[in-house]
Amino acid sequence: ADQADETEGWADQAQLGMRPCKMRRLGSNAAWQRFDSRSAAAQAFGLRSIDVADIIRKTGQHAAAFEAEAEKVGRPCEMRRLGGDNTWQRFESRAAAGQAFGLERGTASIIMRGGSIWNQTFEVRDCGVVTRCVYEVRSVGDTATWRQFASRDDAATALGISPPDLSDLIRGDASKPRIANLTR
């Protein structure tokens, strides 16, 4: 249960291509700079996103020159106890919701996915999720009509492919026609 709760914010941020972090150059007493994404941090320091990921893990050729830390942002949700007072209560994260109802760490995330004995007692739903990007897709051969979707899953479903395959299409292959874009 702990792992589900610890990673709850990561999955959504990764799906949106947004992994907030803070970074600084070592040896210069520089202040930490916060970035909404690893791409933004990389651009500010003249690096690649993968370099920032390596620096966060304290590996790679740039780890001796830079310091970076990943930020985890909880996902806002609402939770209620079924039976009696069915009032929805809003929380900053699933972890905070579970704690408010006296549940073990990670249980609110499990309830939301429908995998808990607590589903008879509690209900959890996402709320206030900010979409930071738009997925644009079109069928191969269709050069004019781009359709927009707020989630990778919705865009993949429209194309009839899996979400990981859509990610591959977004990254692109110069030998294939581009049928998917990610805009922010």
Side-chain angles (χ1 to χ4, degrees):
D2 284 338
Q3 184 159 359
D5 199 48
E6 288 172 7
T7 61
E8 101 182 22
W10 289 108
D12 301 317
Q13 293 166 12
Q15 181 175 343
L16 295 174
M18 306 294 283
R19 291 186 174 175
C21 66
K22 59 183 183 176
M23 189 166 162
R24 67 180 174 180
R25 189 177 304 275
L26 287 176
S28 64
N29 292 330
W32 285 98
Q33 295 179 52
R34 189 196 177 281
F35 299 94
D36 287 332
S37 68
R38 291 179 184 178
S39 297
Q43 186 175 11
F45 287 98
L47 301 169
R48 300 173 303 156
S49 297
I50 191 71
D51 296 330
V52 175
D54 286 345
I55 294 165
I56 289 170
R57 289 189 301 269
K58 299 182 183 354
T59 62
Q61 66 182 7
H62 300 287
F66 297 95
E67 188 175 14
E69 295 178 1
E71 286 187 12
K72 181 184 157 225
V73 179
R75 192 168 179 186
C77 71
E78 291 181 331
M79 186 170 176
R80 68 179 176 180
R81 185 183 308 268
L82 299 174
D85 181 15
N86 283 335
T87 306
W88 287 99
Q89 296 178 45
R90 187 178 173 92
F91 298 93
E92 297 276 329
S93 68
R94 293 178 197 162
Q99 185 176 16
F101 283 94
L103 300 173
E104 288 183 28
R105 189 168 167 85
T107 304
S109 295
I110 295 168
I111 292 169
M112 187 162 186
R113 289 190 302 271
S116 172
I117 58 169
W118 291 108
N119 286 16
Q120 304 301 314
T121 309
F122 298 100
E123 196 172 13
V124 182
R125 66 182 181 196
D126 278 331
C127 64
V129 177
V130 176
T131 301
R132 295 184 182 152
C133 57
V134 174
Y135 291 84
E136 295 179 315
V137 299
R138 66 180 177 189
S139 298
V140 173
D142 185 352
T143 58
T145 309
W146 287 91
R147 295 172 50 201
Q148 294 186 344
F149 299 89
S151 77
R152 180 179 70 157
D153 290 347
D154 291 345
T157 300
L159 285 176
I161 61 175
S162 71
D165 286 343
L166 178 63
S167 294
D168 291 342
L169 291 171
I170 290 169
R171 281 191 291 275
D173 178 344
S175 67
K176 298 178 183 171
R178 187 158 189 88
I179 63 165
N181 288 320
L182 177 62
T183 58
R184 292 188 216 310

